[in-house]
Amino acid sequence: MKTNEIYVSNEGTGREDALSEAEKYADYQTLGHREKMHIRILTEELLGMVEAIAGNFYAYYWIEDDSEGYHLHLEAKANMDTKKKDALIDASTSKQNNSARGVMGKLRDVFQNYWMGYKETIVDSASYYDYMRYGMIEPGFNNSLDFWSLSQYRTVVRKDDSNQEEWDELEKSIVANLADDVTVGIRGNNVELVITKKWKTGKE
């Protein structure tokens, strides 16, 4: 099943429609109270990330499901001018993106980097952070040119004792605790973020 695609922007356009679509989907799937709360919270977190993205940003939100679970999609054209990101970073005293704090802040930064062009903003500039490197999966995975996964990031951070701060962020993150995975990838001219939540037995 796939829901309607909802136009959303960082100015708040489509927020209520997206939340309504998530609730309709939960009702259609006869999800239990806890799962209904989870899908709403994940949608709210996703929309909160959208509202924090700099520049003239808009995208489409929808939900799809399969035998394993449901997937919250956010897809946008990867067409932002990379100079805008450089200007934002240069404006900070540390010359780094200080807004990338916490799991959602880092996810937003990953998404923005893909949105503005992976090769320029990540490989050829100082914005190639450890959390980007830790979450990277081989190109071509899932039919994507470039692919970042929260579960991959979690696995790498867990294995390295020097990443205690990152691990603490994961333990405190609502999304990291509710979602089974969050992925960011580039397909053609589009960048897509997908939050995956696996079905629970009995959909409780």
Side-chain angles (χ1 to χ4, degrees):
M1 175 186 175
K2 178 181 177 180
T3 67
N4 295 320
E5 295 186 7
I6 307 298
Y7 177 92
V8 297
S9 77
N10 54 356
E11 296 180 346
T13 303
R15 177 180 176 82
E16 294 305 317
D17 290 338
L19 290 171
S20 176
E21 196 69 17
E23 291 179 358
K24 289 177 184 177
Y25 174 80
D27 288 338
Y28 179 83
Q29 291 290 354
T30 63
L31 300 181
H33 177 68
R34 180 180 296 180
E35 281 299 300
K36 284 183 178 180
M37 288 181 57
H38 287 175
I39 197 170
R40 182 179 176 87
I41 290 170
L42 290 172
T43 298
E44 288 177 340
E45 290 286 323
L46 184 58
L47 295 172
M49 187 199 78
V50 166
E51 292 170 2
I53 291 177
N56 183 23
F57 178 80
Y58 69 88
Y60 288 91
Y61 161 91
W62 72 91
I63 304 172
E64 285 188 66
D65 59 34
D66 53 31
S67 60
E68 295 185 355
Y70 61 83
H71 315 276
L72 281 62
H73 291 253
L74 182 72
E75 184 174 274
K77 292 289 184 183
N79 59 1
M80 185 177 179
D81 184 356
T82 58
K83 292 181 180 179
K84 292 181 180 179
K85 177 69 174 277
D86 293 336
L88 291 172
I89 294 176
D90 287 341
S92 70
T93 55
S94 65
K95 305 304 181 185
Q96 293 182 353
N97 189 355
N98 290 326
S99 65
R101 294 291 182 266
V103 172
M104 287 308 294
K106 290 177 178 178
L107 275 170
R108 182 183 68 246
D109 204 58
V110 172
F111 189 87
Q112 284 187 138
N113 279 325
Y114 278 106
W115 181 39
M116 292 179 295
Y118 171 79
K119 293 186 181 300
E120 292 181 32
T121 60
I122 299 176
V123 175
D124 298 329
S125 78
S127 62
Y128 182 74
Y129 302 104
D130 281 343
Y131 61 83
M132 285 296 306
R133 177 165 53 86
Y134 292 162
M136 291 300 297
I137 294 178
E138 289 294 328
F141 181 82
N142 201 30
N143 298 317
S144 177
L145 293 177
D146 302 296
F147 199 81
W148 187 95
S149 165
L150 180 62
S151 62
Q152 171 72 9
Y153 173 78
R154 182 189 288 119
T155 298
V156 174
V157 169
R158 182 187 289 123
K159 291 180 179 179
D160 190 344
D161 293 336
S162 67
N163 295 320
Q164 186 59 46
E165 182 178 350
E166 287 83 356
W167 183 251
D168 289 343
E169 285 183 346
L170 285 168
E171 289 190 322
K172 295 175 183 177
S173 168
I174 294 174
V175 169
N177 281 287
L178 290 183
D180 291 289
D181 200 4
V182 182
T183 58
V184 184
I186 297 175
R187 294 181 180 84
N189 293 324
N190 294 336
V191 56
E192 185 176 58
L193 183 149
V194 181
I195 298 177
T196 295
K197 178 76 172 174
K198 294 181 180 178
W199 297 124
K200 302 302 181 183
T201 303
K203 298 182 182 180
E204 296 177 356

